Amino acid sequence: MELISTLVKKTIPNYLSGLPIPDTFGGWFKLGFKDWVSLVPPTALTAGLVYVSYLALCPASPCRSGARSNKRVNQKVRLNEAKVVDMIDIEDISEKAAFCRCWKSKNWPYCDGTHGEHNKECNDNVGPVVVSRKQK
């Protein structure tokens, strides 16, 4: 514990106080090559900490979206179309029909249960839209 105390109370402040940080804006233009080189490690450390914080805390960061780098929801159904639209006549539905919402069904637009694997893999809870005839 004493090592950490010394590091935080003495070593780091002494290191930071020895950095050639100018008092004025114009002072940055007067720094020499060695001064700029001595500013690289703390700048790289700060940038690294900011980046790691971004990855950990930002909801839209690549780490939060899993292994997929592609942000598309639809990864396989009629990708060549600008918008996937299916028209289904309600009269064609016998008792009920389950429609896919995960975009992974091999029987698009109907659900084939593929979302179950997706839910386990991504800790998600997506399921189908079930449309049924009103009972008379």
Side-chain angles (χ1 to χ4, degrees):
M1 198 62 170
E2 188 176 325
L3 177 66
I4 295 173
S5 174
T6 303
L7 185 68
V8 170
K9 292 180 178 178
K10 294 180 182 174
T11 307
I12 293 175
N14 288 343
Y15 172 72
L16 293 176
S17 67
L19 289 176
I21 299 175
D23 295 328
T24 63
F25 182 74
W28 289 101
F29 299 107
K30 296 176 184 172
L31 292 177
F33 179 75
K34 286 185 181 180
D35 295 331
W36 281 105
V37 170
S38 67
L39 289 173
V40 169
T43 304
L45 177 67
T46 303
L49 288 173
V50 168
Y51 182 67
V52 168
S53 299
Y54 162 74
L55 290 179
L57 302 174
C58 183
S61 74
C63 283
R64 295 268 175 141
S65 63
R68 296 176 298 179
S69 61
N70 188 352
K71 301 222 183 230
R72 276 186 97 124
V73 174
N74 176 12
Q75 304 249 342
K76 62 190 270 184
V77 178
R78 299 194 319 244
L79 298 175
N80 58 337
E81 296 179 23
K83 185 194 278 188
V84 178
V85 177
D86 288 298
M87 302 296 285
I88 298 170
D89 189 1
I90 197 76
E91 300 299 323
D92 293 341
I93 298 174
S94 56
E95 289 295 316
K96 66 180 179 178
F99 294 98
C100 177
R101 289 195 299 177
C102 72
W103 291 93
K104 298 181 184 310
S105 174
K106 292 176 180 69
N107 190 24
W108 182 262
Y110 298 101
C111 177
D112 65 359
T114 308
H115 60 271
E117 182 182 323
H118 164 80
N119 287 346
K120 287 178 190 172
E121 183 181 306
C122 298
N123 196 24
D124 206 349
N125 65 349
V126 70
V129 173
V130 178
V131 178
S132 61
R133 285 186 171 264
K134 193 173 187 179
Q135 299 298 326
K136 294 181 183 180

